[in-house]
Amino acid sequence: MKKLFLVIFLIILTCIPVLAETKSTKTDTPSLEKNLYKLAGNYHNIYYLNILNNKYTCCNNNCYDFDSFHYNKLIKTYSIDMIADLMNWNLHEEYPSPNNDGYISHLLFNVKMHNDKLVVKYKGFVTGNVIVDYKNDKAYSARYNILAIHKGKPVVITNITEFETTFYEWIDINALKKLLKTW
C-alpha cells in the first residue's frame, strides 16, 4: 500500500509542471490597448463601448473585451471575446429578447486563433431598447438603453451559424491577427 501511494505521489509530482503549462495566461489590458493604439495609427479611430460592467475597446468593426484575453502556451492558442452591434447590420429591433427585456442589441463571440487560423463561436447576447434622439423634429441619432447580458443561444435566432459567418466576414481579420501576435 505504501508503494502504491509513493508511485501515485511521484506521478502527481511529475505531472504538475505539465498541468501548469496548460493553464492559460492572462495579459494586462493596458499593454494590449497600447498595442491597439500603435496598430490603429490614429487615436481617433479608437472608441470605447461600455455594456453594464464590461468595457470593449473598438477600432473600426473590431470591439475587443481585453479582460477576456487568454493565451494557452501549451497549444499556442489565443482567445478573446468580441462583440457585434446589430445596429451596424441594420438588425436592431429585429429580434425580441426571449427574456422580455427589450430587443437583442449585440451579439457576443469568442474568437480563437491557432496557427493564423481563426475560429468564431457564438457566446451570448445583450438586450436593450433603442432610444432615438431628435433635433429640430428629425431623428438625429440612435443609441441603446442596455438592460442585460445573457449567455447562451436565444431561441428567437435559429441561424446562429450564419451570424458567426457574418461576424467573421465583417471584422478586420488582419488587424485582429496583428493585435493578438503583438502580445
Side-chain angles (χ1 to χ4, degrees), residues 94-122:
E94 183 75 22
Y95 299 102
S97 171
N99 302 316
N100 294 323
D101 52 357
Y103 289 90
I104 296 175
S105 60
H106 298 80
L107 297 177
L108 305 169
F109 298 92
N110 180 264
V111 179
K112 291 187 181 193
M113 184 176 81
H114 179 72
N115 291 335
D116 274 355
K117 185 177 180 180
L118 291 175
V119 176
V120 173
K121 290 289 178 195
Y122 172 81

Side-chain angles (χ1 to χ4, degrees), residues 2-119:
K2 288 182 181 180
K3 288 181 183 178
L4 179 64
F5 178 73
L6 182 61
V7 169
I8 292 172
F9 181 72
L10 289 174
I11 290 172
I12 291 172
L13 280 179
T14 57
C15 290
I16 287 176
V18 172
L19 293 174
E21 285 296 313
T22 62
K23 280 189 141 185
S24 300
T25 57
K26 237 181 172 180
T27 188
D28 59 341
T29 299
S31 69
L32 273 174
E33 234 174 309
K34 187 174 156 185
N35 291 340
L36 181 63
Y37 285 127
K38 287 179 186 176
L39 291 173
N42 184 350
Y43 294 107
H44 300 292
N45 291 338
I46 295 177
Y47 61 96
Y48 299 97
L49 182 62
N50 293 312
I51 296 182
L52 301 180
N53 292 328
N54 297 346
K55 177 184 169 187
Y56 293 89
T57 305
C58 304
C59 182
N60 299 325
N61 293 335
N62 295 3
C63 289
Y64 309 98
D65 178 2
F66 287 135
D67 290 335
S68 71
F69 178 82
H70 282 62
Y71 177 69
N72 187 317
K73 290 180 183 178
L74 184 63
I75 59 174
K76 297 181 176 133
T77 301
Y78 300 90
S79 175
I80 194 163
D81 290 345
M82 296 177 71
I83 193 167
D85 185 343
L86 291 184
M87 199 176 287
N88 291 330
W89 296 345
N90 203 23
L91 293 173
H92 55 287
E93 296 187 324
E94 183 75 22
Y95 299 102
S97 171
N99 302 316
N100 294 323
D101 52 357
Y103 289 90
I104 296 175
S105 60
H106 298 80
L107 297 177
L108 305 169
F109 298 92
N110 180 264
V111 179
K112 291 187 181 193
M113 184 176 81
H114 179 72
N115 291 335
D116 274 355
K117 185 177 180 180
L118 291 175
V119 176

